[in-house]
Amino acid sequence: MNKNIFVLAMLLALAGCQPSAPPEIDISSATVDELSAYIQTNCQGDSRRHVRCMTAINSQGKKALAEDSN
């Protein structure tokens, strides 16, 4: 019984140490500048590999290329 409580306490402690997910962003309506600010604010270090950051980075690149081609 005590071992189960210890394991549960350790799991909760580890879960509390995990970095929080970056906030959501509507990439379809965000401008290149808004995406850039989002990335600068929320996607540094390990957060850069979060799916929301990777999506924002890819979208920023695509939108920047589209603006340059116009």
Side-chain angles (χ1 to χ4, degrees):
M1 178 74 174
N2 286 339
K3 185 176 181 181
N4 292 338
I5 293 172
F6 176 75
V7 170
L8 180 61
M10 291 301 294
L11 289 174
L12 291 173
L14 288 174
C17 295
Q18 298 297 321
S20 60
E24 291 185 37
I25 184 170
D26 183 4
I27 61 167
S28 61
S29 65
T31 65
V32 172
D33 290 336
E34 290 170 336
L35 289 168
S36 180
Y38 174 87
I39 294 164
Q40 185 68 27
T41 303
N42 300 297
C43 301
Q44 303 301 315
D46 289 340
S47 294
R48 190 166 181 84
R49 292 180 291 196
H50 191 279
V51 69
R52 290 180 185 159
C53 289
M54 292 172 59
T55 302
I57 292 166
N58 289 337
S59 180
Q60 179 196 26
K62 289 176 184 176
K63 287 184 178 197
L65 285 173
E67 284 183 3
D68 287 345
S69 66
N70 289 333

